[in-house]
Amino acid sequence: MKKFLFILFISLNLWGAERIVTLTPSINEIVFALDEGQNVVANTKFCDFPVASQKIKKIGGYATISLEKILQAHPTVVIGQDYDNQLNSNLSALGIQTKIYKTNTLDSIKNTIKDLGLFFHKEQKADELISGINNTLDSLKGIVNNQKILIVISPKKSLSNQIYVAGNYIYFEDIIQASGNQNAYFSTSHIQPVVNSEKIIHMNPDIIVLLAPFLEAQFKEQEAIIKAWESLPIRAAKNKNIYMVDKAYAGIPSQRVVYFMQDFKKILENVRNK
């Protein structure tokens, strides 16, 4: 079966339009933002933005991507991230053109946009997207300063021992620093930080941002979670500086990071105006 699929792949007319397979939501969003969405022939089940992405053939999820389904899509290029070295090696071994990126920091997001802009001959569009990121980042400066900010990922009503926060090697760190503030969490480890309530009390953040895209427009549930966090003996609770962002784009490292920065700016302005 694999041999048959390989024969189908190498028999493609490579002089036609690109046939793109995207392996992560962030890459998929960037490709669409560069006006190449019409050439995406397959993506993952988590690629749900823009809406047109939802109707494209699915080749699996993060850990369940099917090499055979990729080949069945007859791609001219497969674009992904450095999550699955084995899959990337298999694609290269089959002679499939691959482009692999990191999008963990703002610089890496911008570099990905720039490189794909060159690849697709969409340099002007890439420059526009990068300028949007830079300009929005600049707008965060000087609103409030020297505040300890904690960003919590997928918060729950129960302040258990499994509280995921933004570490120091991800784009949230870049955004906090650019605003003239600091991440309440600090570690030299690149591993996803998991803390407990005692650690948060020790950090004593001035501002907490709760990322809860799974609760979009579910205001009662959001209120219950914020109330739980306000029970902690920390400055953010005392000063009512606990906020929630309920949009999916907040956790996607694509050009849509500008929307999170706009939300973050409103939070900083609210803190300043109190």
Side-chain angles (χ1 to χ4, degrees), residues 68-89:
E68 290 188 1
K69 288 183 178 180
I70 292 176
L71 294 176
Q72 287 171 353
H74 303 164
T76 58
V77 62
V78 176
I79 311 174
Q81 291 172 259
D82 59 343
Y83 299 145
D84 192 333
N85 291 330
Q86 185 60 57
L87 175 64
N88 297 336
S89 296

Side-chain angles (χ1 to χ4, degrees), residues 2 77 89 172 210:
K2 290 184 179 180
V77 62
S89 296
F172 294 118
L210 307 172

Side-chain angles (χ1 to χ4, degrees), residues 175-239:
I175 293 169
I176 292 171
Q177 288 192 2
S179 72
N181 299 285
Q182 61 178 306
N183 193 337
Y185 176 87
F186 176 76
S187 173
T188 57
S189 173
H190 289 250
I191 297 173
Q192 164 63 52
V194 183
V195 300
N196 55 32
S197 56
E198 289 184 7
K199 178 71 172 178
I200 291 172
I201 293 170
H202 178 72
M203 286 188 278
N204 197 16
D206 298 293
I207 302 169
I208 292 178
V209 180
L210 307 172
L211 305 184
F214 56 93
L215 291 178
E216 184 170 3
Q218 298 183 43
F219 302 115
K220 288 185 177 179
E221 289 80 0
Q222 293 182 24
E223 184 179 351
I225 291 177
I226 291 175
K227 186 175 181 180
W229 281 82
E230 287 179 342
S231 69
L232 293 175
I234 54 177
R235 284 191 294 269
K238 178 181 178 181
N239 297 322

Side-chain angles (χ1 to χ4, degrees), residues 25 27 36 49 64 69 89 98 102 107 128 147 151 180 195 199 201 205 223 225 227 233 243 257 267:
I27 293 297
E36 287 291 324
F49 183 88
T64 59
K69 288 183 178 180
S89 296
T98 59
K102 290 180 179 291
D107 280 345
E128 291 173 2
Q147 299 288 294
I151 296 182
V195 300
K199 178 71 172 178
I201 293 170
E223 184 179 351
I225 291 177
K227 186 175 181 180
Y243 302 87
V257 70
I267 290 171

Side-chain angles (χ1 to χ4, degrees), residues 133 136-137 140 175 257-265:
I133 293 174
T136 308
L137 193 66
L140 302 177
I175 293 169
V257 70
V258 296
Y259 299 137
F260 171 75
M261 289 193 285
Q262 290 167 356
D263 292 337
F264 186 65
K265 180 180 180 179

